[in-house]
Amino acid sequence: GEVQGGRVVFATDEWFAPAQMFLAPSPPVFKPELFTEFGKWMDGWESRRRRTPGHDWCIIRLGTPGVLRGFDVDTAFFTGNNVPAVGIMGCYCPELTVPEGVTGTTGAMGTCATPEDIAKVDAHIRQATTWFEVLPRSPLGPGYEETRHNYLPASSAQPVTHIRVNYFPDGGVARLRAFGEVIPARPAGAGPAAAGG
């Protein structure tokens, strides 16, 4: 079934539309007359065009730990500004947090993390746990009705608590849907090391 209740804990850039919006359970909508102080209102997560090297990304804590089987990356209404390609990493680390006080955690439109905080969060999450690929870099179609749904199989059956969604390099996605099976949470200390492995 669909993985419910995810929460964005960090995003590099939420200038045009905040990342939490692309997890909304409702179908995406288009409001032609609606503009914000930052530009056209879009229903999803949309970052600015990058003027520096790198790519945009966000960290999502899943509502429950699970084994992911696939994704629907829906670019609805993002027709000239959709993300060209996406890749997803996963980890199993129920205690994963981002450093206190960093930018990129407010979930507010018109905000972005500083380059220093992006580097700090990136280093912190790499040090905190092992990340593995759950979706290799995959091209996305634009948000027209016939090309908006990008159904992509997961490449790993390892359990995950968090995913890192990488935009290559930037742009918008209306909805990210992850599908899989919920797994019971492991008791503390019940990992392989506690079992003598």
Side-chain angles (χ1 to χ4, degrees):
E2 190 175 326
V3 179
Q4 302 278 332
R7 186 173 62 83
V8 175
V9 295
F10 177 80
T12 56
D13 187 303
E14 299 178 283
W15 195 260
F16 293 120
Q20 191 66 37
M21 281 175 61
F22 86 161
L23 301 179
S26 57
V29 296
F30 186 67
K31 299 181 178 180
E33 305 81 29
L34 188 54
F35 286 81
T36 72
E37 61 185 294
F38 306 105
K40 177 77 188 79
W41 181 89
M42 294 296 287
D43 192 1
W45 174 32
E46 185 183 7
S47 65
R48 290 176 294 180
R49 290 281 176 242
R50 295 185 65 85
R51 306 270 187 261
T52 56
H55 64 274
D56 286 314
W57 50 276
C58 73
I59 301 294
I60 298 167
R61 180 182 183 89
L62 301 182
T64 54
V67 174
L68 299 174
R69 300 295 182 202
F71 304 91
D72 175 15
V73 186
D74 181 355
T75 58
F77 311 115
F78 288 96
T79 53
N81 52 349
N82 62 284
V83 174
V86 70
I88 301 176
M89 304 294 287
C91 74
Y92 190 96
C93 185
E95 311 80 37
L96 184 68
T97 59
V98 297
E100 289 289 322
V102 294
T103 52
T105 58
T106 63
M109 183 184 295
T111 64
C112 61
T114 65
E116 296 77 19
D117 283 349
I118 292 170
K120 184 177 184 178
V121 171
D122 188 47
H124 175 82
I125 64 171
R126 288 174 191 269
Q127 213 169 18
T129 189
T130 301
W131 292 82
F132 48 89
E133 184 177 86
V134 292
L135 179 69
R137 184 173 177 154
S138 304
L140 299 179
Y144 301 108
E145 192 55 40
E146 61 277 8
T147 54
R148 64 180 263 203
H149 288 286
N150 298 271
Y151 296 106
L152 304 164
S155 59
S156 171
Q158 294 184 64
V160 297
T161 56
H162 295 73
I163 57 175
R164 173 177 170 152
V165 179
N166 292 306
Y167 274 10
F168 296 113
D170 51 36
V173 167
R175 293 291 184 272
L176 174 70
R177 301 281 185 245
F179 300 93
E181 292 90 47
V182 170
I183 57 167
R186 292 186 220 159

